[in-house]
Amino acid sequence: QVQLVESGGGLVQAGGSLRLSCAASGRTFSSYAMGWFRQAPGKEREFVAVISVRGGVTGYADSVKGRFTISRDNAVNTVTLQMNSLKPEDTAVYSCAAAGPYSSISVYVPRRVSEYNSWGQGTQVTVSS
């Protein structure tokens, strides 16, 4: 497993941008697909974005497609979520998560919460209207 710590949340006006980062510890980071999930008050945790072990494949929830971009840098064990054109409905606690380990050539991009075995503590994102 890997240990994950998120940063970069905050308060932003609708239409603005935020960049979330997730720092991972452990030598096997590059064996894990990395995902971002979010949970709003009173709602279930939902998938936001995912990136494969080498970064060659990504996936997004329909609600964020075209606005959010996930990326990773395996040299520094970091995954990033760039969020643009933010909307009030994007308000939630955002968590990064790791799924795996997978083969170094895997292009699998898991979307279900149950597929992830390591989670960060989460960071609050609030979008005001």
Side-chain angles (χ1 to χ4, degrees):
Q1 291 190 349
V2 294
Q3 286 73 51
L4 305 170
V5 179
E6 303 95 337
S7 60
L11 173 64
V12 64
Q13 289 188 332
S17 297
L18 280 176
R19 186 178 180 89
L20 305 183
S21 293
C22 176
S25 63
R27 296 176 294 173
T28 58
F29 174 74
S30 60
S31 298
Y32 289 81
M34 297 299 298
W36 285 95
F37 291 77
R38 68 187 182 186
Q39 188 168 19
K43 295 187 177 182
E44 292 188 353
R45 180 176 286 175
E46 65 173 359
F47 166 77
V48 174
V50 61
I51 190 166
S52 60
V53 297
R54 287 189 173 181
V57 178
T58 58
Y60 298 92
D62 289 342
S63 59
V64 307
K65 200 172 295 183
R67 300 188 297 121
F68 290 11
T69 302
I70 188 171
S71 61
R72 68 187 295 163
D73 187 342
N74 287 347
V76 293
N77 288 9
T78 300
V79 61
T80 299
L81 185 68
Q82 178 66 43
M83 306 186 295
N84 299 328
S85 302
L86 283 161
K87 304 175 181 180
E89 51 263 43
D90 294 319
T91 295
V93 175
Y94 285 71
S95 299
C96 68
Y102 299 119
S103 160
S104 63
I105 60 172
S106 172
V107 295
Y108 185 53
V109 282
R111 292 175 175 244
R112 293 174 294 183
V113 171
S114 60
E115 296 183 276
Y116 288 79
N117 45 30
S118 296
W119 292 85
Q121 82 287 352
T123 185
Q124 176 70 46
V125 171
T126 302
V127 185
S128 63
S129 57

